[in-house]
Amino acid sequence: MTQTRLYFTTGKIEADRIFAAFETAFEDEGLPIAILEVDEDRDIQEVSLYADGDVDAVEARVKEILAGLALSRPIAREPVPDIDWVTRSLEGLKPVRAGRFFVHGAHDRRKRHSGELAIEIEAGLAFGTGHHGTTAGCLEMLEQVVRRERPRNALDLGTGSAVLAIALAKLAHIPVLATDIDPVATKVAAANARLNHVKALVETVTAPGFHHPIFAARGPFDLIVANILARPLMRLAPEMAGHIALGGSIVLSGILDRQRDAVVSAYVGQQFRHVRTLHREGWVTIYLKR
């Protein structure tokens, strides 16, 4: 069945209000809702609602909800064929080598070299295949940090597909807590941990921020890696400081080159010391020590 995407743009504050209203209004139908940051500097967010069946009726309800919030936005439509786009896109991706790591799909198992730390990632609804500059940069940096610091207890915050958690488990042979706010992501992460034979080391938990009791139970951490986005990373700086062991290290990514100084400043203010920045494809990976 073909779905139709109803979408419009607005600011972040309005987008959050609209998302909450849509969740309540369309809870029974289970219609997917999404927010995408189109332009961070100009505060442009794209809100999407995926409808099937009577699209006109759904659009009418969307307009009623917006009117109830004293908002009015032109709504565009886009047909979405019933295709697993994630699987299709990953089928054509080439394997990635980053340091000792080799990230690949099932179709590229034969390309693994002796001595490489192979990570097989299946298609799934979670970010992180190793192909994005941020993920590859994290893999390179983690190899250096683990060799230098020899951590014993690690956290992968915002784990996505768990590629970084799996990398840590394979490289350091230590327990890794892998958390994400998205339950779909943690399900995919758990499956990937099993696929890569590190299920005993990688624990996956759905947890927003640091509010889940698992962090107190498993922390403090010798190493935290977080490949998210610059703004949430800056907001999390005080909590990162509260959950890292004294002398521990953090690896941060999802940060554009131009955002690097602001992120470093946020963590220096929490008694972290900048060690190194790795630049890759317009993105940076930052290594700091407390």
Side-chain angles (χ1 to χ4, degrees):
M1 179 184 294
T2 300
Q3 284 188 320
T4 299
R5 181 170 77 102
L6 303 175
Y7 65 98
F8 54 89
T9 57
T10 186
K12 185 179 188 316
I13 294 175
E14 292 82 2
D16 290 341
R17 291 175 59 209
I18 293 165
F19 187 92
F22 281 3
E23 273 194 313
T24 301
F26 297 103
E27 182 178 8
D28 291 340
E29 293 95 328
L31 300 184
I33 310 162
I35 298 177
L36 173 68
E37 184 176 63
V38 176
D39 191 315
E40 181 180 5
D41 292 336
R42 293 192 295 160
D43 187 27
I44 299 176
Q45 310 274 326
E46 185 177 79
V47 181
S48 298
L49 180 92
Y50 293 81
D52 46 35
D54 191 346
V55 179
D56 290 334
V58 174
E59 182 172 341
R61 290 175 63 192
V62 166
K63 290 178 177 178
E64 287 178 9
I65 294 167
L66 292 176
L69 297 172
L71 298 170
S72 177
R73 297 289 184 274
I75 300 170
R77 292 190 182 192
E78 178 187 37
V80 182
D82 187 15
I83 296 173
D84 186 346
W85 291 107
V86 176
T87 300
R88 175 169 289 191
S89 66
L90 289 182
E91 284 174 352
L93 288 178
K94 295 179 180 178
V96 169
R97 286 186 166 88
R100 288 178 59 199
F101 296 107
F102 176 65
V103 185
H104 64 92
H107 54 289
D108 280 319
R109 288 175 184 166
R110 58 184 174 78
K111 296 181 180 179
R112 293 180 291 196
H113 294 164
S114 176
E116 287 184 322
L117 294 174
I119 302 174
E120 183 172 324
I121 299 296
E122 286 301 306
L125 302 178
F127 175 82
T129 62
H131 293 78
H132 196 276
T134 61
T135 310
C138 279
L139 289 170
E140 287 187 28
M141 190 70 87
L142 286 176
E143 184 176 353
Q144 299 172 26
V145 173
V146 167
R147 186 188 308 119
R148 172 176 171 167
E149 304 290 343
R150 299 192 181 279
R152 295 171 296 176
N153 181 24
L155 165 65
D156 178 11
L157 186 72
T159 191
S161 66
V163 63
L164 299 177
I166 293 165
L168 278 169
K170 288 199 167 194
L171 181 64
H173 307 288
I174 60 173
V176 184
L177 175 63
T179 68
D180 203 287
I181 62 172
D182 183 356
V184 174
T186 49
K187 183 178 180 180
V188 172
N192 283 327
R194 287 193 297 272
L195 178 65
N196 285 273
H197 311 294
V198 291
K199 180 184 176 183
L201 292 174
V202 176
E203 180 181 4
T204 57
V205 178
T206 302
F210 282 99
H211 305 302
H212 195 285
I214 191 68
F215 295 105
R218 291 286 302 271
F221 301 94
D222 298 323
L223 173 61
I224 299 176
V225 57
N227 181 12
I228 313 177
L229 289 171
R231 285 186 178 178
L233 284 174
M234 291 167 68
R235 287 196 299 269
L236 286 168
E239 291 179 284
M240 289 276 204
H243 288 82
I244 194 79
L246 187 63
S249 300
I250 59 173
V251 173
L252 309 177
S253 200
I255 305 159
L256 293 168
D257 279 316
R258 58 182 170 79
Q259 299 169 324
R260 180 249 182 216
D261 291 348
V263 175
V264 170
S265 295
Y267 282 82
V268 168
Q270 297 295 325
Q271 298 184 318
F272 283 92
R273 172 176 58 87
H274 173 256
V275 179
R276 187 181 174 213
T277 297
L278 188 154
H279 297 262
R280 185 165 183 155
E281 300 172 13
W283 299 86
V284 296
T285 301
I286 304 171
Y287 165 26
L288 302 110
K289 226 178 136 46
R290 183 165 170 79

